Amino acid sequence: SPPVTGCELLAFNPSLSALPSPTAEGGSTQADEPSGYTVNLTVPQSESTNELATPELKDSTVTLPAGVSVSPSAADGLLGCQETGAEGINLTEEQINGAGHEDGELHAVPGRCPAASTLGTVEVFTPLLPDGPDESAPLQGHIYLAQPKCGNAGQPACTQASATNGELYGLYLEVEGSGVILKLKGSGSANPVNGQLTASFTENPQLPFNDLKLHFNGGPRAPFANPAWCAAATTTSSLSAWSEGAGGTPLATPSSIFQVDFNGAGGACPSSMPFSPSLSAGTTSVAAGAFTPFTLTFTRGDRQQTLSQIAVTTPAGLLGMVSKVPQCPEAQANAGSCSAASQIGTTTVGSGPGSHPFYVSGQVYLTGPYKGAPFGLSIVVPANAGPFHLGNVIVRAAISVNPSTAVLSITSDPLPQIIDGVPLRLQSVNVTVNRPEFMLNPTDCTASSVSATLTGDQGARAGVTSPFDVGGCASLPFKPRFSASTAGKASKADGASLDVKIESAGVGQANIAKVDLQLPTALPSRLSTLQKACLAAVFNANPAACEEDSVIGKATIHTPILKAPLTGPAYLVSHGGAAFPDVEFVLQGEGVTLILDGKTDIKNGITYSRFESAPDAPFTAFETELPTGPHSILAAYLPASAKYNLCGTSLAIPTIITAQNGKQMKQTTKIAVTGCGPSVTITKVKVSGNSLLVTVKTSATGRVRLSGYGLITKVVNSLKGGAHTITVALTKSGIAMRKHGQKAKVRVSLTVGKQAAAKTTSVKL
């Protein structure tokens, strides 16, 4: 056949219309809403024998307006049409190419894409195929989503490039009529930065048509979403004809424009995108001091800035038992490969605009230190939406501990806004911490709240709160144990010591809120040490910068919350004025710093120490050591004859310990004097028949020996310290002495190790 000539004379003047579908078909011009779209490509045809024909469309590339993006809401129940697969379900390669075998001959056969892969309908009006009385009935069919070529089993992992090279997004068009079946395969791309969509169909069949109409589904699960802001939305195209290679009109670039509004009825957008998110939070159980799951949910509406970052502050006393959880190592936390042993909860994220967001769930893992905080989170959400499997989305968060209140602050890294060209348009984020016996309720029933600061993707910040309270505080037991000791040997140069210990059952009882102590007059504060207190400005900037002279001791606290105890120095800190310096304990362990503030007052030589703001946290033991030495805070005030020796002195501390639930333990605690060696006293001797009943009081466990003329020596081994009545039999001589009313001497000795003490008294027999 001779070559066709005259292609250069052909005109190719297509037009394009790409608009939201009518409201009745689920379309809308409202910003940040899913919408149906109708795309109409018109290629005017002339059937006059006196006019040149219009060349057929060869290649087409259509780019939707900036801001029109894939809607995550469409993924619920969405499937992709396979190129190979089971009969009756999938579209095979031969079917996609428009041919199949039937009765031994080659025929076009209908495709078999699943209904759930349908994105819309298509109509083609062509003058070549009359159908019906008016000879204008179109070819009709459907638009299908192609199964991605990455991310699924046996396929390579999806990458950012997959969103632009056709591996991730693809379309199939299938129409039929008048016995004709036509199938086209197109590729799609989504800009990985802003999500703008482009679809291309190349090497289209040389079929002349007047109109090609694509009707994309509308409603809450429409495949496309309108731009999030009011603006003119322009669709552009690049279309070429088959006459291009023969010198004909090579290229056409028709476009289409519509206006995005705020309310779907032409309303203007406000001057800036609003941001008014909400927070709902609470525990499953409201029982004070009980283990309970904790959940919180953040939501925001359409036409608002999307969530970009979350910072949460928990109520005082709502704590996690990190001692019970193996922490996920940093490498695994960043890779999203933490083991199940580190999981403490779950997360559910709702993405997409409109009333039907798409929800995906993931896991929350506890990690070690992160961004300067002692603990962190690795939040892992598999990005699986319909046929798309885009790997894991990993968000890290830092968990800080307030040094004064032990309140937790959790600050997330920036949340992802777009994944492989799909703007997420986050509507809700839920985190539920549900590991058994992990989260622990407060023991203070004062009404409180969970608070958060949320950041929008355009920089707006919003503070939100959710009420929080617990009940049943009054029923919690409160039975702490308090003890104290001091070294018997004090001195003028090195002062006196004092060790104090508070013990508690830990979880299961009310936590301590306040401790008030009154030191005995025999242990007054040393003025020389008080004058060396660290200035508050220095301490607040960095306690380690305080002079050594201001360090008066140390403390250690054991808490079931942490694996290791918190320990650290006690500083004297001056706030100026006439007030006495405070005692500040700076306790550290596992990256946590806790500062306990003790107020000091001295009246009439008596030192009062008050800790009035202890955190609502369980502990099993709190030990304070104020040693002797050049920086000792205490002196020994005794008559000169005692030579600073406290042995044998009766010392006591009036004590009030107040619980978080208001209960109190009041007692006067005797201070044990240590390092004095054993002591024994005879408090009573009574004649009973031919025996004596001797009541003795010993300072420690040891061997007690009772002897004397007229007595049968009595030895009691390993007798515990305290008061005991011991029976001592009389000898024959003693019985005779008793008959004559004579006196006898009773000697009692106590031996502890290599040390011994003895007392002697007389008794009339």
Side-chain angles (χ1 to χ4, degrees):
S1 176
V4 176
T5 61
C7 289
E8 70 279 3
L9 302 176
L10 300 182
F12 183 60
N13 297 306
S15 62
L16 176 70
S17 172
L19 303 172
S21 301
T23 302
E25 298 177 14
S28 174
T29 58
Q30 188 174 23
D32 203 24
E33 282 291 320
S35 175
Y37 277 83
T38 298
V39 179
N40 188 7
L41 177 61
T42 300
V43 184
Q45 301 290 329
S46 173
E47 297 184 45
S48 172
T49 57
N50 297 321
E51 296 180 6
L52 294 175
T54 300
E56 295 87 355
L57 176 69
K58 180 183 181 184
D59 298 330
S60 62
T61 298
V62 177
T63 300
L64 295 181
V68 174
S69 64
V70 173
S71 174
S73 305
D76 190 7
L78 187 66
L79 295 176
C81 187
Q82 299 271 11
E83 292 192 8
T84 59
E87 182 71 15
I89 297 177
N90 302 321
L91 188 67
T92 66
E93 183 71 32
E94 290 78 11
Q95 291 167 335
I96 292 170
N97 292 332
H101 291 280
E102 186 176 296
D103 300 329
E105 298 184 8
L106 190 63
H107 299 282
V109 297
R112 295 184 173 89
C113 288
S117 67
T118 304
L119 299 180
T121 61
V122 60
E123 296 176 295
V124 179
F125 294 83
T126 172
L128 298 185
L129 296 174
D131 190 358
D134 59 0
E135 298 187 353
S136 62
L139 300 174
Q140 295 181 320
H142 295 88
I143 311 166
Y144 298 106
L145 175 69
Q147 178 71 19
K149 294 183 178 180
C150 63
N152 288 297
Q155 296 178 331
C158 293
T159 63
Q160 192 175 73
S162 302
T164 60
N165 63 13
E167 292 182 358
L168 195 55
Y169 305 114
L171 298 174
Y172 299 140
L173 302 184
E174 181 186 41
V175 294
E176 61 179 312
S178 300
V180 172
I181 297 175
L182 180 65
K183 304 171 185 179
L184 300 179
K185 180 180 180 180
S187 64
S189 67
N191 186 301
V193 176
N194 61 18
Q196 189 169 19
L197 298 170
T198 299
S200 297
F201 288 84
T202 60
E203 299 291 324
N204 293 304
Q206 297 184 49
L207 171 70
F209 63 87
N210 298 308
D211 290 292
L212 170 65
K213 295 184 178 180
L214 305 178
H215 304 277
F216 288 93
N217 295 337
R221 293 172 57 194
F224 300 129
N226 285 339
W229 192 245
C230 297
T234 302
T235 300
T236 60
S237 67
S238 176
L239 311 175
S240 65
W242 279 100
S243 61
E244 175 186 359
T249 304
L251 189 67
T253 57
S255 61
S256 176
I257 188 171
F258 69 92
Q259 187 69 34
V260 179
D261 56 59
F262 198 67
N263 59 2
C269 287
S271 58
S272 61
M273 183 73 80
F275 187 57
S276 55
S278 62
L279 165 65
S280 175
T283 53
T284 302
S285 170
V286 296
F291 288 111
T292 177
F294 172 71
T295 184
L296 71 167
T297 302
F298 303 95
T299 57
R300 64 102 194 171
D302 293 326
R303 289 163 297 284
Q304 293 188 28
Q305 296 184 36
T306 60
L307 296 173
S308 174
Q309 192 170 30
I310 297 172
V312 179
T313 301
T314 64
L318 183 66
L319 301 170
M321 301 285 286
V322 298
S323 61
K324 296 184 176 181
V325 183
Q327 297 171 12
C328 179
E330 189 68 6
Q332 288 89 323
N334 288 329
S337 58
C338 297
S339 71
S342 300
Q343 184 176 349
I344 60 171
T346 60
T347 183
T348 300
V349 179
S351 300
S355 60
H356 196 99
F358 181 72
Y359 293 95
V360 290
S361 297
Q363 295 77 41
V364 180
Y365 301 93
L366 181 70
T367 77
Y370 184 65
K371 288 191 172 180
F375 309 106
L377 298 175
S378 176
I379 304 169
V380 183
V381 180
N384 298 329
F388 302 105
H389 300 272
L390 308 179
N392 290 331
V393 177
I394 303 161
V395 176
R396 298 295 308 277
I399 304 176
S400 301
V401 182
N402 185 288
S404 299
T405 63
V407 164
L408 304 179
S409 295
I410 302 96
T411 303
S412 76
D413 284 353
L415 306 180
Q417 300 298 308
I418 188 170
I419 297 177
D420 291 330
V422 180
L424 299 181
R425 307 196 193 204
L426 295 175
Q427 278 210 40
S428 66
V429 176
N430 167 267
V431 174
T432 298
V433 182
N434 54 11
R435 185 185 179 102
E437 296 192 350
F438 180 72
M439 291 301 293
L440 190 65
N441 268 335
T443 63
D444 180 355
C445 288
T446 303
S448 183
S449 65
V450 180
S451 62
T453 299
L454 307 180
T455 305
D457 65 323
Q458 297 176 26
R461 292 165 66 88
V464 292
T465 60
S466 180
F468 180 90
D469 53 34
V470 294
C473 289
S475 63
L476 291 174
F478 184 62
K479 296 180 179 179
R481 297 178 299 277
F482 183 88
S483 60
S485 65
T486 184
K489 295 180 180 180
S491 68
K492 182 178 181 180
D494 292 333
S497 68
L498 181 65
D499 294 344
V500 173
K501 185 174 184 180
I502 304 175
E503 297 175 283
S504 170
V507 176
Q509 75 167 13
N511 298 321
I512 291 176
K514 302 177 182 180
V515 178
D516 293 346
L517 306 176
Q518 177 182 327
L519 301 186
T521 55
L523 295 175
S525 296
R526 298 175 80 186
L527 180 60
S528 60
T529 301
L530 292 173
Q531 293 173 338
K532 297 175 182 177
C534 181
L535 294 177
V538 176
F539 178 83
N540 293 334
N542 180 14
C546 291
E547 294 291 338
E548 182 183 356
D549 292 351
S550 65
V551 178
I552 61 172
K554 68 176 184 178
T556 301
I557 186 169
H558 299 262
T559 170
I561 297 293
L562 302 174
K563 294 179 181 178
L566 301 174
T567 187
Y571 293 90
L572 278 179
V573 179
S574 173
H575 296 275
F580 291 98
D582 292 347
V583 177
E584 305 281 359
F585 292 102
V586 181
L587 309 177
Q588 295 178 313
E590 293 191 46
V592 175
T593 296
L594 191 64
I595 299 177
L596 298 181
D597 176 37
K599 304 297 182 183
T600 303
D601 194 12
I602 302 174
K603 295 180 180 179
N604 300 322
I606 299 175
T607 300
Y608 298 85
S609 182
R610 299 181 177 91
F611 292 85
E612 299 179 341
S613 57
D616 188 0
F619 72 92
T620 55
F622 179 80
E623 303 170 64
T624 301
E625 299 178 29
L626 304 177
T628 59
H631 312 312
S632 172
I633 185 59
L634 300 176
Y637 181 72
L638 295 168
S641 59
K643 296 182 180 179
Y644 300 100
N645 190 340
L646 296 172
C647 294
T649 305
S650 181
L651 304 173
I653 300 180
T655 308
I656 302 176
I657 302 178
T658 305
Q660 296 283 346
N661 63 359
K663 292 184 178 181
Q664 287 188 333
M665 183 203 79
K666 297 182 179 180
Q667 69 180 37
T668 298
T669 305
K670 184 175 181 181
I671 301 176
V673 182
T674 63
C676 296
S679 65
V680 62
T681 57
I682 303 172
T683 60
K684 185 177 181 182
V685 179
K686 179 181 178 181
V687 179
S688 176
N690 293 328
S691 300
L692 295 182
L693 300 180
V694 183
T695 301
V696 299
K697 188 174 183 181
T698 59
S699 62
T701 300
R703 183 170 65 90
V704 175
R705 183 175 185 273
L706 295 90
S707 61
Y709 182 78
L711 304 178
I712 297 176
T713 299
K714 180 72 172 284
V715 176
V716 182
N717 292 311
S718 301
L719 185 67
K720 292 184 177 180
H724 307 275
T725 299
I726 303 171
T727 301
V728 181
L730 300 177
T731 63
K732 290 181 180 181
S733 298
I735 295 173
M737 293 170 63
R738 178 174 176 271
K739 289 180 180 181
H740 293 89
Q742 295 177 335
K743 289 185 177 182
K745 288 186 178 182
V746 180
R747 185 178 187 274
V748 179
S749 64
L750 170 65
T751 302
V752 179
K754 295 182 179 181
Q755 294 182 311
K759 288 291 183 181
T760 302
T761 189
S762 297
V763 60
K764 183 178 180 181
L765 298 178

